[in-house]
Amino acid sequence: MEARVAEQLRGALGQLGFEVHAFKVGWYNAVLQPAFHLPYPDDTLAFVVLSTPSMFDKALKPFVNKERLKIIRDPVDQCVSHHLSCVKEKFPDQKVDIICDYEILPNRKPKFLAQTAAHVAGAAYYYQRKDVKLDPWGKKKIYGVCIHPKYGGWFAIRALLLFPDIQVPFLEQSAPIDCVSTEEKRIELLEQFNFHWQDWRYRDIIEVKERYSEEQKAYFATPPAERFRLLGLPGEGQRSTFH
């Protein structure tokens, strides 16, 4: 069952520049505090959805051109939500729950921890402070970051797809590829991500197969409220008539 669902998801989303990776909810819950647990049985089938560099041209720009009058919030968020809703319709006999990366709980915590999900699904390795033996940062707060074996840091974790009625007790876990394996490189990665993230260097910590285009880099480097004009859309303040 898992293989068939995965094949359908990859067929629908792969051509749009997304990747999907299967995992069991129990793998995710096992490494987190109860406050962050997903409220499903341990053997529930889930998928983490990543956007790769090609999503910008394959999904976002066509979506914007087609739906331009309906875009009333972040175009990327709305594009991802649209395509995942379309995928959900391909499973009329299954319950499918979608959780997007921008969704938050009433207590302002995220509905899921994206980097943890990517790690347990084997999609991207989540490098954290604990992965460095000789910690050079003292009392500084150091955030972790996921690195994809093919795209380095040039990707994003967008959503979870959960299939509550599909239990997969025999699904085997694949470890993420440890592509930043030396102490020196891990320190460099966490330094760049925490203190120099705006210059993009951490994304190239490994040799990558594909990265964001200059157009895409300009888009994501622009403050969210100003991104509409880069896509040829009216600004948010001009768009209230389209609600």
Side-chain angles (χ1 to χ4, degrees), residues 34 59 95 101 111 142 199 205 221:
K95 178 172 169 52
D101 68 305
K111 284 195 174 181
I142 299 295
D199 66 14
I205 194 70

Side-chain angles (χ1 to χ4, degrees), residues 87-107:
V87 164
K88 183 175 179 176
E89 292 173 8
K90 295 183 182 292
F91 299 92
D93 300 326
Q94 295 289 347
K95 178 172 169 52
V96 185
D97 293 340
I98 301 169
I99 309 176
C100 292
D101 68 305
Y102 54 82
E103 294 184 61
I104 56 174
L105 296 165
N107 62 7

Side-chain angles (χ1 to χ4, degrees), residues 118-155:
H119 187 94
V120 300
Y125 200 106
Y126 184 22
Y127 291 97
Q128 302 176 73
R129 190 173 192 159
K130 66 183 182 183
D131 295 310
V132 173
K133 293 184 181 69
L134 299 173
D135 186 324
W137 297 292
K139 294 182 178 178
K140 291 179 182 174
K141 175 76 172 172
I142 299 295
Y143 294 95
V145 60
C146 273
I147 295 296
H148 189 288
K150 184 176 178 182
Y151 304 114
W154 302 99
F155 77 104

